[in-house]
């Protein structure tokens, strides 16, 4: 049984076969959800931002007709987003709760909830949840993901003379590492939507890399 994070060693033939199989699976998902990704989602966002279908001069129902689109969808969506976000995080610093049916573990359950809420206060997840809601409400679908991240930053240290003769030293410092919650734009994720994303036989995320 494979363990999470375990390195799998494949020879060239196995890697080639695996690549072909993955390419076939991804291609099938792209074909099935091409309309959703290339037409439906862009249309829903244009409706949200009230972008006129006709650019420039309107000739219907008469020449020079007003080309104004009232953003009803945006007004309603933003109201729902605000109310939902407030109901989730408007209760002060207590986000998590814990309870137990065993009286001898009551104090332990209280400590677990206190630890969870302390961790939540240190964890910058609120903006991530807002981004998730801001996509979920207008288009009806959005994805939250968990990834492991390491934050490396170059810092400068050491003293420097007033005349600037001695340059400070620099080095890489690991500021933090661990699990990160992130919002993934819907058009970057493919899976068989007959399943929940975590139950799907395969889920694919698009990454854009630049040199």
């Amino acid at each position: 049984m494979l363990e999470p994070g375990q390195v799998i060693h494949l020879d060239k033939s196995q890697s080639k076969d695996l690549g072909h199989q993955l390419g076939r699976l991804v291609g099938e998902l792209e074909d099935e959800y091409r309309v959703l990704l290339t037409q439906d989602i862009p249309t829903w966002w244009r409706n949200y931002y009230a972008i006129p279908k006709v650019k420039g001069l309107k000739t219907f129902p008469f020449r020079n007709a007003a080309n104004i689109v009232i953003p009803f969808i945006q007004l309603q969506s933003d109201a729902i987003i605000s109310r939902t976000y407030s109901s989730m995080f408007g209760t002060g610093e207590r986000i998590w709760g814990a309870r137990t049916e065993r009286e001898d573990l009551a104090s332990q359950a209280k400590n677990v909830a206190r630890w969870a809420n302390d961790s939540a206060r240190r964890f910058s997840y609120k903006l991530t949840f807002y981004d998730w809601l801001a996509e979920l409400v207008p288009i009806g679908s959005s994805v939250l993901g968990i990834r492991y991240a390491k934050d490396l930053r170059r810092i400068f240290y050491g003293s420097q003379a007033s005349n600037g003769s001695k340059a400070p030293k620099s080095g890489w410092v690991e500021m933090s590492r661990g699990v990160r919650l992130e919002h993934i734009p819907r058009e970057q994720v493919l899976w068989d939507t007959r399943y929940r994303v975590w139950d799907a036989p395969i889920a694919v995320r698009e990454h854009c890399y630049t040199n």
Side-chain angles (χ1 to χ4, degrees), residues 13-196:
S13 176
Q14 292 172 326
S15 298
K16 186 176 181 179
D17 291 340
L18 179 60
H20 284 309
Q21 291 296 327
L22 292 176
R24 179 181 61 80
L25 292 172
V26 173
E28 291 175 354
L29 286 174
E30 288 180 335
D31 291 340
E32 184 173 357
Y33 295 99
R34 188 178 305 277
V35 174
L36 171 70
L37 298 177
T38 62
Q39 299 181 26
D40 292 344
I41 291 179
T43 298
W44 296 332
W45 281 120
R46 285 195 298 270
N47 293 339
Y48 173 80
Y49 288 111
I51 298 175
K53 291 184 178 180
V54 178
K55 295 183 179 180
L57 180 66
K58 278 194 70 176
T59 58
F60 181 84
F62 52 86
R63 187 175 178 80
N64 291 327
N67 197 16
I68 298 174
V69 180
I70 301 176
F72 284 117
I73 295 177
Q74 186 178 109
L75 292 171
Q76 296 297 322
S77 296
D78 290 352
I80 295 173
I81 293 168
S82 178
R83 293 179 63 181
T84 305
Y85 185 82
S86 298
S87 66
M88 294 171 65
F89 304 111
T91 57
E93 297 182 348
R94 186 176 182 275
I95 303 298
W96 300 99
R99 67 176 184 176
T100 177
E101 300 299 329
R102 293 179 51 179
E103 294 182 0
D104 58 321
L105 295 179
S107 60
Q108 184 175 344
K110 185 181 297 184
N111 288 332
V112 169
R114 186 174 63 181
W115 171 83
N117 283 296
D118 181 69
S119 299
R121 287 191 293 270
R122 300 170 185 270
F123 188 53
S124 57
Y125 61 93
K126 292 186 178 181
L127 182 59
T128 302
F129 266 97
Y130 186 86
D131 292 339
W132 173 68
L133 285 172
E135 182 181 54
L136 174 65
V137 175
I139 71 172
S141 178
S142 192
V143 179
L144 284 174
I146 297 177
R147 64 184 176 90
Y148 187 88
K150 182 186 295 185
D151 185 8
L152 290 176
R153 301 185 188 184
R154 180 181 290 277
I155 67 168
F156 294 88
Y157 58 94
S159 60
Q160 184 176 5
S162 59
N163 59 4
S165 59
K166 185 179 180 181
K169 298 179 181 180
S170 67
W172 289 98
V173 175
E174 184 179 295
M175 306 298 292
S176 65
R177 61 176 171 174
V179 175
R180 296 289 186 273
L181 183 69
E182 63 176 342
H183 165 246
I184 305 174
R186 180 62 183 85
E187 60 270 17
Q188 292 183 6
V189 187
L190 278 173
W191 78 93
D192 188 341
T193 55
R194 291 173 295 182
Y195 301 87
R196 295 174 297 184

